[in-house]
Amino acid sequence: MQPKKVWAVYFSGTGTTEKTVRRIASGLSTALSAPMEVFDFTLPAARQDDLSFDPEDLVVLGVPTYAGRVPNVLLPYLTGKVRGAATPAVPVVLFGNRNFDDSLMELRNILTANGFMPVAAAAFVGEHSFSRTLGARRPNAADLTQMDDFARGAAQKLEGLAALPAVPVSVAGEEPIRPYYTPRDRHGAPINILKVKPKTDMALCGGCGLCAARCPMGSIDSADVSQVKGICIKCCACVKGCPSGAKYFDDPGYLYHQHELEEIYARPAENALFI
C-alpha cells in the first residue's frame, strides 16, 4: 500500500500529544514519500464540523489518556464526526507515566467502527497534565528515537500490504473496556474531582487572556479569566501555559491525588508499540 497523504490529527492541551503525533506522522511521511497535513482538534471550534478521510490517506490520530480511557468529552466528536472510508490509521495515546489501561484499545475500536483500519498503534509516555515531576521531560530523546523506529516499522508494514488487513492491529487492553480509573484517598474512599476548577491569582495575572484562548473546552471567561463557567477537564493547558504562573489548583482532593500519583508512579514507565 502506498498512501498519498499522511495526516497528523490530535487533541493536545499542553502540547505533548501534538509533539508525539507530529513526530510519528513526519516519520511516516518521510518513509512513504507522501506529504503530511495537520489537523488539530484541541479547541472547540475545530470540533464543530465533520472530518472525513479517503482510502488513500493515512491518519495518525492521537489523544491523551484520561483515567485510563479516551477522554469522555471527546467521545461525541470522535464517534460522531470523524469518518474514514477504508482508511489506514495509526491510533496513538499519551499517558502520564501511570498506565494507558484501555485507552489505546478504546481509540482503536472507535476508529475501526468509523471506517478506519488501524494497522499499527502506540502508547507513549508524556509529562502528566497534573504534574511537573511525573513523567517530567517525557518524551525524551530515547522516546523520540522510539517514535522514529515505530514510524519506520509501520511504514514497512504498509508497504508490504497488498490490501488493508481484515482485522485491526492487536493492542494491549481489556474488552469490554473497563470503567474510568477512580482516584482514592488513604482510606480507599473515592475522590471526586470532576467539578474541581482552577483558581487565578489576580495579583500575578497579566491579563493576556492566553488561558481563555487555549482552554480546550472554551470554559474560561475571556472577559474575566478568574471565572471558569464551563466544565474543566484538568488538562492544565491554562496552568502550564500561563506565562505569569497565575493559574493553580488548590482543591484538597485534587492535590492529594496529584501527590499520590507522583509518589506511587515515580518510576519511568515504558512506551508500548504495536505493529
Side-chain angles (χ1 to χ4, degrees):
M1 295 189 68
Q2 183 60 48
K4 291 187 176 180
K5 187 180 294 183
V6 177
W7 284 86
V9 181
Y10 53 83
F11 175 98
S12 186
T14 57
T16 311
T17 303
E18 175 184 4
K19 181 178 183 178
T20 302
V21 171
R22 280 178 173 263
R23 182 85 179 203
I24 293 169
S26 178
L28 283 161
S29 172
T30 299
L32 296 168
S33 299
M36 183 179 106
E37 290 202 27
V38 174
F39 186 80
D40 178 355
F41 63 92
T42 306
L43 296 180
R47 300 192 297 273
Q48 298 306 306
D49 298 325
D50 292 346
L51 182 63
S52 300
F53 298 96
D54 299 324
E56 294 177 332
D57 292 324
L58 170 61
V59 178
V60 183
L61 194 149
V63 301
T65 297
Y66 280 15
R69 297 273 304 273
V70 172
N72 63 348
V73 293
L74 297 182
L75 292 179
Y77 177 71
L78 291 173
T79 60
K81 295 190 175 183
V82 181
R83 288 286 180 269
T87 305
V90 178
V92 176
V93 297
L94 269 287
F95 66 103
N97 208 62
R98 184 187 68 80
N99 200 308
F100 60 94
D101 294 339
D102 295 339
S103 60
L104 186 59
M105 178 173 283
E106 184 176 23
L107 183 60
R108 182 204 64 175
N109 292 352
I110 290 170
L111 290 176
T112 303
N114 285 8
F116 297 88
M117 180 49 67
V119 295
F124 279 95
V125 180
E127 183 178 288
H128 198 288
S129 61
F130 288 12
S131 174
R132 296 187 185 276
T133 62
L134 190 60
R137 296 176 294 280
R138 304 283 298 272
N140 54 28
D143 296 323
L144 297 180
T145 297
Q146 275 198 295
M147 292 174 198
D148 295 342
D149 292 343
F150 172 70
R152 283 192 292 270
Q156 290 172 0
K157 179 179 181 179
L158 270 168
E159 290 177 323
L161 294 174
L164 281 178
V167 295
V169 64
S170 179
V171 301
E174 293 186 12
E175 290 188 287
I177 302 298
R178 289 168 287 182
Y180 288 88
Y181 171 83
T182 301
R184 296 182 181 277
D185 65 19
R186 61 179 55 88
H187 304 295
I191 298 174
N192 189 343
I193 61 172
L194 292 177
K195 295 184 178 180
V196 172
K197 297 180 179 182
K199 301 289 183 63
T200 305
D201 185 340
M202 296 307 292
L204 294 177
C205 178
C208 68
L210 279 175
C211 56
R214 293 178 178 176
C215 177
M217 297 295 105
S219 295
I220 299 176
D221 188 342
S222 59
D224 180 0
V225 296
S226 67
Q227 299 300 309
V228 183
K229 295 185 175 181
I231 65 170
C232 173
I233 60 173
K234 271 63 74 177
C235 71
C236 290
C238 62
V239 174
K240 292 188 174 182
C242 179
S244 59
K247 289 286 185 181
Y248 65 97
F249 285 94
D250 64 357
D251 178 80
Y254 175 97
L255 295 176
Y256 177 87
H257 179 43
Q258 174 193 333
H259 298 149
E260 180 189 48
L261 289 172
E262 290 171 341
E263 290 178 10
I264 296 175
Y265 299 103
R267 83 290 182 264
E270 295 184 359
N271 305 314
L273 315 178
F274 306 92
I275 298 177

